[in-house]
Amino acid sequence: MKLSNGETNDSVKGNPPENGVDDGRHINGKIDDEIPIKLDSENQGEPEECSEIEIKDGQIADKKDSTTEIPKDIQIISPDTPHMPEMSDNTEIIPPQNSHVMKEENIAVTGDDHLQIIQPLSQLPKPEAPPGLAPSPTPKEDGLVFNRSKSLSESLTVDMPSIGKFIKERSNSLSASIANRLSSLRNNSHNYEDKETNNKMKSVDSDVTEFNISGLKVIVRLKNDEELKGRISFFSRSNCRDCTAVRSFFRQKGLKFIEINIDVFPQRAQELIERTGSSQVPQIFFNDKLFGGLVALNSLRNSGIFDQRLKEMLGSKCSGDSPAAPVYGFDEPEEESMDDMVEIVRVLRQRLPIQDRVMKMKIVKNCFAGSQMVEVLIQQLDCGRKKAVEIGKQLARKHFIHHVFGENDFEDGNHYYRFLEHQPFISKCYNFRGSTNDSEPKSAIKVGQKLNKIMSAILEFYASDDRCHVDYASISRSEEFRRYVNLAEDLHRVDLLELSTDEKLAFFMNLHNAMAIHAVIRLGCPEGVIDRRSFNSDFQYIVGGSAYSLNTIKNGILRNNRRPPYSLVKPLGAGDKRLEIALPKVNPLIHFGLCNGTRSSPTVRFFTAQGIEAELKYAAREFFQRTGMEVDLEKRAVHLTRIIKWFSADFGQERDILKWIINYLDATKAGLLTHLLGDGGPINIVYQNYDWSVNS
């Protein structure tokens, strides 16, 4: 379309508009005539012609004035008009969009270059302007007023909001209002909880001032002139009842204290003797002054003057003579003798041709022949062949080398062996940190006892009193756990065959529970079936030259190589040397002493070889009294832990299981179960759902 200023509307010529879509809002027709404009009251006597009319965004405006008179060419069509004028086929109706035309009339451009303004019915409701658009100005009585547009755009396309965009904005607004409403409800609930918490805090401690700062909650504790400046410290041991009582008392009083466990820090035992003249624990110190043990603490507490004496003794800062707090990352020097075979092993590691070979249709990596090792020993030690073979057997018994298929200890000839650090399972062992422990192997009994003491100390300090909840994050950062990880390296080459049945039972029960804690820290608690399989099978330790997982310990050693639940394969294959370590008889009580880090498992605990049987009975009694068993007399139903269903082969038939459980129930549950068993009626056994969430 050609305008009076010489510009051309591209959309008329057939060229696509800028957005590529012709939305039907173009003005077709030729506008070359100048339309006379009626001036305002000041210039009514001097009609003036406009040089140009701009049509933009639904506006008809004169560049020279803001008030126009409708020319004769423009017809106003209203509902009162008796006859609607006929419009040619090329006439288009321009709907108003942010129009400045009074009464928001529709403008029709006919083929004769006439503009027709069509007024809507006066009884129809006026549409609201979309958000962001200015409302139309109010009309004047004298006639229509056309506001000027700023300039004539290159295209005469009238920008109007589409219906889709309007609906989208409305829906977004509705969604935002709903979200704001939900957020306000949530904030109100949080504010209520915060108020409740604040009320509790204010009731507990009146010296606390709270400031609420736009999303930041600041709690300032006013300085108390009577605040304790000294330090409480006491010496303790693991599994000490008196030490547990002292620890619980300080926690109930909200007092900070430093605990020095001489089982974890054995070098501090000499300091205890020098300060107190005795090795008995607990021994409490206020600053550098010895207060006494549990008896002195109880007497002072019962006298009612504990708080007063505490302020007197801790009113000043502690001196340098008070017991020092344990420091993270420092190990006391221990007298460790190197194995007498280490020098020979180092020579063999350097001189043996270690390479990959194909045997029995398998690729065996990092191995060497027995004859090759014999030759190196003969040259290095200047001994006979028989002596070299005997040395090779000693190296195998001390777990420096192993047969690639576990067929023999050591023999001369075409038999292949490899060093412990080259075993294929080594990458899954979390107590291996770059190299094997070449020190003289420690006794398995002593290593097991030390493991028991360190892990018991960890639970006493980082678990709840009932051991149902464990603070794994704090354990991972503790000095006790760092020392446990170092102790786990002593398991590489221990001799497990020297353990008795009870010692073996306690050793592997404790090792299983310690590994479960380590696995939760390193891998997290398993959530699905695949994660549980990886948790139980892929987390391993090197113990006595072999790999042990949680599954191997529980089902291979403690259950005498029985299949785990929902598995068709035994954990240990025929000819596996670990079968020599397996317990000869299954004790069903082990299921109530093994913890896998979940809420439905028994509480985590550690055992001693001397009292393993009594400790297991106590663990079973505690488990059944807590959540492991419930009796519903009305429905004649007994709710049992799912552990019994999974390992039913260890317990026997269901009715025999109920009779066996009576021995570990309290009087109330035992009486109800005895009544159900005695009347001869049917008993429904319902197995509880297992909670796999972590017990943190």
Side-chain angles (χ1 to χ4, degrees), residues 642-657:
R642 197 166 289 270
I643 295 175
I644 293 180
K645 179 181 180 181
W646 290 335
F647 301 97
S648 58
D650 301 342
F651 295 97
Q653 300 297 325
E654 289 185 345
R655 204 167 187 87
D656 297 334
I657 293 174

Side-chain angles (χ1 to χ4, degrees), residues 321-368:
D321 296 334
S322 59
V327 181
Y328 182 88
F330 290 90
D331 295 318
E332 294 87 357
E334 296 183 8
E335 296 181 0
E336 291 187 357
S337 59
M338 298 300 294
D339 197 301
D340 54 359
M341 308 293 290
V342 169
E343 295 298 330
I344 299 176
V345 172
R346 290 174 179 173
V347 173
L348 293 175
R349 286 170 177 165
Q350 295 176 357
R351 301 188 59 181
L352 281 175
I354 300 175
Q355 53 187 305
D356 300 344
R357 292 176 172 84
V358 178
M359 290 176 287
K360 297 182 179 181
M361 304 297 293
K362 295 181 180 179
I363 298 177
V364 181
K365 296 184 177 182
N366 302 323
C367 61
F368 55 87

Side-chain angles (χ1 to χ4, degrees), residues 39 98 132 140 168 189 204 228 353 368 373 445 451 573 652 673 686:
L39 301 178
N98 195 19
K140 294 184 178 180
K168 182 178 180 180
S189 62
V204 173
L228 301 178
F368 55 87
M373 192 177 85
I445 298 175
L451 184 148
L673 184 57
V686 180

Side-chain angles (χ1 to χ4, degrees), residues 123-188:
Q123 298 178 354
L124 292 178
K126 295 183 179 181
E128 297 180 359
L133 297 180
S136 301
T138 57
K140 294 184 178 180
E141 297 179 358
D142 295 339
L144 268 73
V145 178
F146 296 92
N147 292 339
R148 300 177 184 271
S149 61
K150 296 181 181 179
S151 62
L152 184 64
S153 61
E154 295 180 0
S155 174
L156 290 180
T157 302
V158 181
D159 294 333
M160 298 179 60
S162 62
I163 297 178
K165 182 178 179 181
F166 179 74
I167 295 176
K168 182 178 180 180
E169 291 177 354
R170 285 289 184 179
S171 61
N172 291 340
S173 177
L174 179 61
S175 302
S177 62
I178 295 175
N180 292 335
R181 179 58 179 168
L182 295 177
S183 177
S184 63
L185 294 176
R186 192 182 300 111
N187 292 335
N188 291 337

Side-chain angles (χ1 to χ4, degrees), residues 273-339:
I273 296 174
E274 293 175 356
R275 287 180 177 273
T276 64
S278 173
S279 60
Q280 294 181 355
V281 292
Q283 294 294 339
I284 306 171
F285 285 81
F286 293 116
N287 288 341
D288 57 345
K289 297 179 181 180
L290 175 63
F291 175 76
L294 180 62
V295 176
L297 186 64
N298 286 334
S299 61
L300 187 62
R301 178 182 59 180
N302 296 333
S303 64
I305 59 173
F306 174 80
D307 294 337
Q308 179 182 353
R309 289 289 307 276
L310 189 67
K311 293 177 182 179
E312 294 175 358
M313 291 182 289
L314 299 180
S316 60
K317 293 184 178 180
C318 62
S319 62
D321 296 334
S322 59
V327 181
Y328 182 88
F330 290 90
D331 295 318
E332 294 87 357
E334 296 183 8
E335 296 181 0
E336 291 187 357
S337 59
M338 298 300 294
D339 197 301

